[in-house]
Amino acid sequence: MTELGLILFGALLVNNFVLAQFLGLCPFMGITRSFDTALATGLATTFVLALAAVTSHTLYHHLLLPLQLAYLNIIVFIIVIAGLVQVIQLYLKATSPVLHQVLGVYLPLITSNCAVLGVTLLAINQALSLLATFVFAVGAAAGFTLVMVLFGALREQLEQSNLPHAFAGTPIALLSAGLMSLAFMGFQGIGS
Amino acid sequence: MKYNRANQPVSPNDFTHAAIANNPAWAQLLGLCPLLAVSNTVANATGLALASAFVVIGSNTSISLLRRIIPDIARLPCFVLIIATFTTLTVMLLEAYAFDLYSRIALFVQIIVTNCMILGRAEVFASRQPVGRALMDALGTAVGFALALLLLGAVREVLGQGTLMADMDLLFGPAAAALQLQVFAVPPLALALLPPGAFIIAGLAFALAQSLGSTAKATTPHAEAQKHP
């Protein structure tokens, strides 16, 4: 249990995927202009990431490895992620129109979110068990959501402020992310 | 819309437009993850720049050659599969010929497949243009991305490690070890190698680019169409 707790905490804060490992920066910079969209994107990503990591883990260990096709992992995982996104979109459309309306626009973007593929590959590279993979994926996605929401709130303020022309938009967002990343470095060493 | 400029001859303009005016990093903000993650040293940056170049050139050329065969409705999955194939090839080549460097940047080579820069070129350019122009565009994109990676890599390596072009032997064989320059005996800003340093230095670099006028906002409608889908 302690081990799983450490994996969860490590993926969530200590090795935060956005601020310490540079995964998922496209949505982080692109769609955190408001708090609500940041939260919706984070939740949709969490859902896909957890499912994709578990599915890929199962396929890798029960299909690719026995058939000695491990080198196909990138191709297989990207198909799994794209397929899952499609299935979830169809399922939500049929069962929960409200949720579909909230998350609908953000779901297709998840396929090209490198955090999803990155976490899936990292879980395989670190030879985690199925349960540990699930915990790792949930922790990573929760960390992504946390940072998206914090940054979304911050950017709502930044959009209002009067900045020098050179810094308006992306540069100030990157600088703020740098300061946030500095704060997250405070978690380094916890649990090691 | 389709084949709108298909009959234009191959011209160097395709190259310079893709590399400078429409630069994937500073004009379109694509490929930020690898740009920040792997720009800690020039050697790492060169490795990823070469890997990305191989994938974008290979996939752009193949997609252009196959553009009349790929059905329009299933084009995005086809593009992704072609890009994933070239990424897998790159991983295998690096594992075989530059394993030490590969093991430092492995994850970011594997996720080249999700780099929106490459899918963007496939969708906007390669799938609509003859192979010569698609190749020019791919070369320009590759050089533009490499420029951004190497510039950031050089600044971060000098500030954070005090050296320039250390460890190039991992990529180009033992003779390249002589390329290393010692700029500072004591690194002036160790933070530059760490994640916060990447964000801050990239932020300052983008601010410089913005004040020089080549900003993300000042892009043409052509560039606007290929932002994140």
Side-chain angles (χ1 to χ4, degrees):
Chain A
M1 264 329 273
T2 356
E3 196 206 343
L4 289 180
L6 283 179
I7 290 176
L8 181 72
F9 192 66
L12 178 66
L13 291 175
V14 183
N15 291 316
N16 186 281
F17 278 88
V18 180
L19 293 176
Q21 307 208 30
F22 306 108
L23 291 173
L25 284 177
C26 284
F28 181 68
M29 286 295 157
I31 36 186
T32 52
R33 284 177 197 273
S34 83
F35 183 86
D36 295 335
T37 47
L39 185 64
T41 313
L43 292 180
T45 310
T46 308
F47 199 56
V48 176
L49 186 50
L51 271 175
V54 169
T55 316
S56 304
H57 184 277
T58 315
L59 278 177
Y60 185 79
H61 285 279
H62 297 287
L63 190 71
L64 294 185
L65 276 189
L67 295 175
Q68 298 185 324
L69 292 173
Y71 62 88
L72 287 180
N73 59 359
I74 299 171
I75 299 179
V76 171
F77 294 173
I78 195 79
I79 297 174
V80 166
I81 294 167
L84 271 175
V85 169
Q86 285 290 325
V87 171
I88 292 170
Q89 214 170 5
L90 290 176
Y91 178 79
L92 282 184
K93 206 174 180 178
T95 57
S96 164
V98 182
L99 208 57
H100 181 256
Q101 208 165 21
V102 177
L103 299 182
V105 204
Y106 307 107
L107 274 170
L109 295 180
I110 294 175
T111 311
S112 62
N113 181 345
C114 56
V116 178
L117 184 66
V119 169
T120 307
L121 285 165
L122 272 177
I124 299 288
N125 293 349
Q126 294 174 5
L128 296 177
S129 70
L130 187 62
L131 183 62
T133 300
F134 178 71
V135 172
F136 181 64
V138 170
F144 175 74
T145 312
L146 175 73
V147 177
M148 288 285 282
V149 168
L150 286 176
F151 201 62
L154 199 73
R155 275 188 96 170
E156 281 189 0
Q157 301 288 317
L158 280 178
E159 297 279 313
Q160 309 289 325
S161 49
N162 191 10
L163 294 161
H165 167 71
F167 283 94
T170 314
I172 193 70
L174 279 168
L175 288 174
S176 320
L179 294 178
M180 234 165 121
S181 163
L182 206 56
F184 267 72
M185 282 196 76
F187 294 113
Q188 293 276 327
I190 296 179
S192 64
Chain B
M1 185 66 198
K2 221 172 178 193
Y3 310 123
N4 49 353
R5 296 190 298 164
N7 294 323
Q8 287 188 17
V10 180
S11 82
N13 286 341
D14 287 332
F15 177 83
T16 46
H17 180 74
I20 308 292
N22 199 18
N23 184 285
W26 65 73
Q28 300 183 67
L29 278 186
L30 296 177
L32 261 189
C33 302
L35 185 68
L36 295 191
V38 186
S39 61
N40 46 2
T41 65
V42 174
N44 289 359
T46 314
L48 194 81
L50 289 177
S52 308
F54 180 75
V55 177
V56 74
I57 292 170
S59 60
N60 246 19
T61 319
S62 331
I63 288 167
S64 175
L65 286 173
L66 296 170
R67 69 186 187 282
R68 287 170 213 278
I69 302 170
I70 295 173
D72 203 45
I73 191 165
R75 65 185 194 285
L76 286 180
C78 293
F79 297 164
V80 170
L81 276 184
I82 292 171
I83 297 169
T85 310
F86 278 99
T87 311
T88 306
L89 281 178
T90 316
V91 167
M92 289 171 157
L93 283 170
L94 283 175
E95 272 178 340
Y97 295 107
F99 187 76
D100 288 325
L101 186 85
Y102 172 71
S103 51
R104 288 197 198 171
I105 58 172
L107 185 66
F108 287 90
V109 177
Q110 293 172 344
I111 63 172
I112 288 178
V113 60
T114 54
N115 189 335
C116 347
M117 165 186 101
I118 297 173
L119 192 61
R121 290 333 291 165
E123 165 73 4
V124 173
F125 205 93
S127 62
R128 291 154 195 204
Q129 304 291 349
V131 66
R133 297 196 71 200
L135 180 65
M136 271 316 215
D137 180 71
L139 284 172
T141 306
V143 168
F145 189 56
L147 265 179
L149 261 173
L150 290 176
L151 283 175
L152 209 55
V155 173
R156 287 182 67 193
E157 187 178 340
V158 167
L159 291 179
Q161 205 172 285
T163 59
L164 193 59
M165 299 198 283
D167 296 332
M168 288 300 260
D169 50 318
L170 295 183
L171 196 59
F172 298 117
L179 284 173
Q180 180 173 342
L181 294 171
Q182 193 76 34
V183 184
F184 295 108
V186 180
L189 184 70
L191 181 76
L193 287 187
L194 299 171
F199 282 109
I200 292 169
I201 291 173
L204 295 174
F206 277 115
L208 184 69
Q210 198 151 310
S211 67
L212 290 178
S214 59
T215 70
K217 281 176 195 152
T219 44
T220 56
H222 172 71
E224 210 55 40
Q226 45 182 280
K227 285 252 169 78
H228 218 291

